[in-house]
Amino acid sequence: MSGAIEKGKKRWRAGVLGATGMVGQRIVQMLAQHPWFELTEVAASERSAGKRYADAVRWHLNEPIPEEARKLVVKDVAPPLDCDFVFSGLDSSVAGPVEAAFAKAGYPVVSNSKNHRMEPDVPLLIPEVNAGHLASIATQKKNHGYESGFIVTNPNCSTAGLALALKPLADAFGIEQVHVVTMQAVSGAGYPGVPSMDILGNVIPYISGEEEKMETEPRKLLGHWDGKRFVDLDVRLSAHCNRVQVLDGHMESVSVKLKKKASVKEVREALRTFEVDDELAGLPTALRRPIVVAEEADRPQPRRDSDAGAGMAAVVGRVRACPLLDFKFTVLSHNLVRGAAGAALLNAELLAARGLLDGKAGKDLAT
Ligand code: NAP
């Protein structure tokens, strides 16, 4: 970890693009208590720009709007902003060119949006799964002529929990096929999201683009960077995605075919004992053991387990044999924390620890 991170002193100034949205306000809230990052800019659409953040945002969280955010004036989503790097929680209709413009202007961009995830030189990052993919940033900068800027993305909210649970199994036994059925919370659709008349007392068996993301993103995440390109993991995935009337927390029923035979006990042990190295465990938002294995027969449940590990854990339960593939389990993760804001925070922390946020910050100090 960079020796320059002093205890008790915030070191990097963060901007949030899309700060008024569901994901953006979670990031704003998590930054308030963050030991390394200080929120200095918020930006959103022309509907919000020019207003004080407290007046522009429709705040959905139980905790009050952080004091330091209330008074900030919402800016347009265009550089320059007074910060060392930006988080992006922008709607995907605008995120593509806006994020590229910030990278071009020298800002590291830590994005939640789908737009750049599958690009051949952009890391799709879950630090516990594929920290090695950060090596692609040098290639990205060269390909695009970026100086201190670049783009790093986190996966789709339902992919996040799945990929985390698959990681120890891919490492220990190899995985060949995955079948997953999701039950996804309404907060995953942003605000105001799914109309109450559609979702109350109902299940909607369609989320636009979600199955395609779940069938491709894990292959990139679980693959590797060979120095020139990403090599996907050779695994076949099939996903059914459903919207259910749960507020927060995406639950998934997963069946897996392994490359190497393993007992249910060995699979459960691989999940239970999965832990990260000291570098990752030292990051403020990280958990040493990001997978929690629930022992109760009727867990995980969104209302009871979404906040496990401050929302950063993937909670796995019901690990058992599968008559079709080799075994099956249930996994739950908080879509707005593990699947969005917390994921972005963790990605930014890893970038900071590896000195990758220092480019613009260093240049600004020198001028
Ligand atoms: P959201 O609540 O609809 O918020 C969208 C944000 O984008 C708002 O700040 C909005 O600003 C801004 N925006 C919309 N149109 C804009 C424009 N034309 N120009 C500039 N800013 C604009 O959406 P969300 O749920 O937070 O999701 C944000 C992104 O994260 C999306 O790409 C989504 O796919 C992704 N994501 C979401 C989740 C989740 O669980 N919700 C999880 C992972 C990833 P105004 O308030 O001013 O309109």
Side-chain angles (χ1 to χ4, degrees):
M1 184 173 299
S2 161
I5 301 174
E6 283 175 48
K7 260 208 153 103
K9 195 161 172 228
K10 296 203 181 209
R11 155 95 202 270
W12 291 272
R13 298 166 305 149
V16 181
L17 313 177
T20 49
M22 295 291 291
V23 172
Q25 55 189 268
R26 278 268 173 187
I27 296 175
V28 165
Q29 185 226 350
M30 293 180 82
L31 284 173
Q33 296 116 39
H34 201 276
W36 299 353
F37 304 144
E38 178 191 4
L39 177 71
T40 53
E41 292 273 28
V42 287
S45 80
E46 60 186 19
R47 293 179 287 277
S48 310
K51 297 181 187 166
R52 284 184 342 128
Y53 183 68
D55 299 327
V57 70
R58 190 184 176 105
W59 190 253
H60 295 283
L61 304 173
N62 294 335
E63 305 81 3
I65 303 174
E67 246 347 279
E68 59 272 40
R70 294 188 75 85
K71 57 180 192 296
L72 291 175
V73 174
V74 180
K75 304 272 177 68
D76 288 321
V77 291
L81 292 178
D82 182 26
C83 54
D84 301 320
F85 72 103
V86 293
F87 291 100
S88 169
L90 285 171
D91 190 86
S92 58
S93 61
V94 290
V98 171
E99 292 173 357
F102 273 91
K104 190 98 201 154
Y107 298 81
V109 178
V110 182
S111 171
N112 281 276
S113 301
K114 66 178 181 187
N115 307 62
H116 297 287
R117 280 181 197 151
M118 299 309 286
E119 285 177 10
D121 51 12
V122 173
L124 174 62
L125 182 68
I126 300 178
E128 301 94 326
V129 172
N130 62 345
H133 286 205
L134 285 184
S136 64
I137 288 175
T139 303
Q140 185 193 142
K141 284 176 150 180
K142 202 161 136 227
N143 288 348
H144 296 270
Y146 295 156
E147 286 182 16
S148 50
F150 57 85
I151 300 171
V152 167
T153 60
N154 51 258
N156 173 46
C157 42
S158 46
T159 301
L162 177 68
L164 201 49
L166 292 177
K167 168 69 176 169
L169 309 177
D171 286 353
F173 315 112
I175 54 174
E176 257 178 37
Q177 293 177 29
V178 177
H179 179 256
V180 54
V181 179
T182 71
M183 290 147 272
Q184 298 182 219
V186 289
S187 62
Y191 188 83
V194 194
S196 56
M197 290 283 279
D198 289 341
I199 195 69
L200 285 176
N202 207 8
V203 172
I204 299 171
Y206 174 68
I207 302 174
S208 175
E210 199 79 352
E211 291 172 358
E212 292 78 359
K213 290 179 213 162
M214 288 199 81
E215 290 171 0
T216 50
E217 291 181 11
R219 291 168 50 85
K220 181 173 180 179
L221 282 158
L222 294 163
H224 66 277
W225 173 256
D226 75 356
K228 290 195 174 121
R229 64 191 185 102
F230 295 110
V231 180
D232 286 353
L233 185 72
D234 183 18
V235 56
R236 290 170 62 208
L237 298 111
S238 173
H240 296 259
C241 293
N242 303 288
R243 187 76 69 194
V244 298
Q245 51 174 311
V246 162
L247 199 54
D248 294 322
H250 289 352
M251 196 149 92
E252 304 172 17
S253 298
V254 188
S255 290
V256 181
K257 183 168 166 49
L258 298 174
K259 280 208 164 104
K260 198 172 114 190
K261 288 288 164 225
S263 67
V264 169
K265 193 168 167 229
E266 287 170 319
V267 168
R268 192 183 286 118
E269 264 319 275
L271 290 161
R272 203 184 58 76
T273 57
F274 177 65
E275 60 177 37
V276 300
D277 62 18
D278 289 344
E279 180 198 30
L280 293 185
L283 303 178
T285 305
L287 302 173
R288 171 71 76 176
R289 288 194 168 181
I291 298 174
V292 172
V293 177
E295 299 299 336
E296 301 90 333
D298 60 353
R299 301 285 275 274
Q301 298 176 13
R303 213 167 52 197
R304 294 180 169 174
D305 299 308
S306 288
D307 290 331
M312 287 300 285
V315 187
V316 173
R318 308 210 59 226
V319 184
R320 60 210 192 279
C322 172
L324 291 181
L325 302 183
D326 290 326
F327 72 96
K328 51 188 175 179
F329 62 89
T330 304
V331 60
L332 171 79
S333 60
H334 197 305
N335 52 297
L336 286 168
V337 184
R338 180 81 248 188
L345 257 288
L346 189 59
N347 284 356
E349 289 165 4
L350 182 60
L351 294 172
R354 293 203 175 172
L356 288 160
L357 296 185
D358 292 339
K360 182 167 186 311
K363 228 168 73 187
D364 286 356
L365 282 176
T367 52

